[in-house]
Amino acid sequence: MIRYRGKCVPIEVKAQDGNAKSVKTVLKHPEKYRVDSAIKLADLNIGRTGAILTLPLYMAFLLTER
């Protein structure tokens, strides 16, 4: 978890496939977890699918609190 713009944002790191099951479960229940976006670090390119921002693993050092 990181704090970004005053909100908690979960981070999921995937080593092989790009499936983010845990993050998707959290995003499906905003009333319970109070999370509306997430970041997935994986061996993939930069992209966004719905509320999940995907970043390559090597960009993890750029995640900072804003």
Side-chain angles (χ1 to χ4, degrees):
M1 299 289 276
I2 63 169
R3 182 169 296 281
Y4 183 71
R5 295 185 180 174
K7 296 183 179 182
C8 289
V9 179
I11 299 174
E12 185 160 300
V13 180
K14 304 304 289 185
Q16 295 178 358
D17 69 8
N19 198 359
K21 290 181 182 178
S22 300
V23 166
K24 288 178 183 175
T25 301
V26 170
L27 291 173
K28 285 181 183 177
H29 303 284
E31 70 287 343
K32 183 176 181 180
Y33 299 107
R34 299 195 174 147
V35 171
D36 57 5
S37 65
I39 297 171
K40 175 176 63 174
L41 297 171
D43 191 20
L44 299 168
N45 291 323
I46 297 171
R48 180 177 288 279
T49 304
I52 302 174
L53 173 64
T54 302
L55 298 172
L57 287 167
Y58 66 84
M59 292 183 73
F61 77 96
L62 296 172
L63 297 175
T64 61
E65 183 177 332
R66 296 260 175 183

